[in-house]
Amino acid sequence: LICFFKNAISAMFVKEQDVALHTREQVMAHINHDVLVNICFICGIYLAIGVLAATIRKGMPELQSLLRWMVAFAAYLYIGAAIFPYLEQFHEVEDRAEVRQLLTSVRGNLTEEAFSQVEQAFGGPGWERTTTTDLNWTFDGAAFFAFTLMTTIGYGSFCPKTHAGRLMTICYAPFGIAIAAITYVKLAEQVLSLVESVAFSLMHVDPLKVAFDAFDVDDSGGLSREELTLMVEELGARLTPLEFEGLLVSAVEAQGGALIATGSPLPAIILGDERQLPLREGQCMEIITLCGFAAALKQRPDLKKKVLPRSL
């Protein structure tokens, strides 16, 4: 998409000359210009993305992580797009020149129909041109190849022909595929989270209430430490022990209570809704209500995604 917009803007403001390439010096000069222009444009785009990422609240670590991996994905892709033309473009020019010379020498021995079939086999009319807009291994073409390589699409419209290009592909692909896989996982998590949020909103369902109702085994209207621990574990929350204890304290304080030590002779604990829950001696006295836990998560938005990390 970035290459597409770059080409559209270039077409509007820059009149690019379509030059035929024949010598290595011409090819290298074209590659240097092509790579430099594209890198400058892309740096401008990602500078804008960096400014946008810097404005994202600290309470959205997953989105920040996704943006970092997307930038890493694009950076690695464009590194390949900048290297492959140096390895392949001159060979492509030479290859087309050799084929053009061969077919020109035999054209007189072929009928127009037969020669037309040969042209189609080589890609149709214009197959022999070596102008800057007809070559495959330009910066944009190399970016397309790198993208199909990293995403394992393997479109196959063109591929490296030189030994250096093939060696580069072997070394480039494993790291690119790993980066693409991690980026896709991060992207999928955000998309699923968005879909789930929209679904809950349309159904007027509070996901936290769903979790509370599911794990309130004794129907007490609140969760004990054991029930809350079970809920956190079953939901796959990535909370450290310190984060869990801090969240527990915040929830109890938010509902207007205080932690009472296990084994206290007090017969009950006062909840935020002014109800009393009887507890046996020796039972854990920390009862967390939905309102208290929701208030604690509101105070710590960075922990909310950890508590509800996946679909309920």
Side-chain angles (χ1 to χ4, degrees), residues 45-309:
I45 292 292
Y46 280 97
L47 180 62
I49 294 176
V51 172
L52 175 64
T55 62
I56 295 178
R57 301 195 312 271
K58 291 184 178 180
M60 303 176 68
E62 291 81 8
L63 187 55
Q64 288 180 331
S65 176
L66 172 61
L67 284 175
R68 285 194 293 267
W69 277 104
M70 289 182 70
V71 170
F73 176 92
Y76 193 79
L77 184 148
Y78 287 122
I79 288 173
I83 295 175
F84 278 113
Y86 287 100
L87 304 177
E88 293 294 328
Q89 192 174 107
F90 183 66
H91 179 272
E92 183 182 10
V93 170
E94 284 188 324
D95 192 43
R96 292 194 181 196
E98 290 176 1
V99 174
R100 180 176 63 250
Q101 183 179 2
L102 173 63
L103 292 187
T104 300
S105 65
V106 301
R107 183 168 190 172
N109 299 326
L110 299 174
T111 64
E112 285 296 325
E113 182 179 356
F115 189 76
S116 177
Q117 292 177 351
V118 172
E119 276 190 328
Q120 292 298 325
F122 280 94
W127 53 267
E128 79 284 0
R129 289 198 296 264
T130 58
T131 54
T132 54
T133 56
D134 292 306
L135 294 172
N136 289 322
W137 289 105
T138 59
F139 185 91
D140 292 351
F144 170 76
F145 171 77
F147 180 81
T148 60
L149 189 64
M150 293 174 66
T151 56
T152 68
I153 293 173
Y155 192 67
S157 53
F158 57 93
C159 60
K161 298 292 180 65
T162 65
H163 294 301
R166 291 170 177 173
L167 180 61
M168 170 69 183
T169 301
I170 294 172
C171 298
Y172 181 85
F175 298 100
I177 292 171
I179 292 173
I182 296 173
T183 304
Y184 280 170
V185 168
K186 299 285 184 181
L187 182 60
E189 288 177 350
Q190 291 300 310
V191 172
L192 289 174
S193 177
L194 177 61
V195 170
E196 183 180 272
S197 299
V198 172
F200 277 131
S201 177
L202 292 176
M203 293 186 296
H204 304 288
V205 173
D206 181 3
L208 196 57
K209 186 177 186 307
V210 173
F212 256 69
D213 292 342
F215 290 93
D216 185 12
V217 180
D218 53 6
D219 295 323
S220 62
L223 297 185
S224 65
R225 175 190 285 267
E226 289 78 10
E227 290 173 336
L228 190 63
T229 302
L230 180 62
M231 184 188 82
V232 169
E233 290 176 350
E234 289 295 323
L235 292 179
R238 302 179 295 273
L239 290 179
T240 65
L242 188 61
E243 289 174 334
F244 178 78
E245 292 297 331
L247 206 57
L248 192 65
V249 172
S250 299
V252 173
E253 291 177 350
Q255 63 198 37
L259 293 182
I260 302 176
T262 301
S264 169
L266 292 178
I269 183 171
I270 303 298
L271 300 180
D273 55 5
E274 298 183 352
R275 291 186 296 110
Q276 290 190 342
L277 294 180
L279 295 172
R280 298 187 304 273
E281 184 176 351
Q283 186 178 358
C284 180
M285 307 295 290
E286 301 149 353
I287 301 298
I288 309 301
T289 64
L290 174 61
C291 293
F293 199 66
L297 288 179
K298 190 174 182 180
Q299 295 174 7
R300 294 290 304 274
D302 56 315
L303 297 182
K304 188 169 184 179
K305 284 289 185 181
K306 290 187 175 183
V307 174
L308 300 173

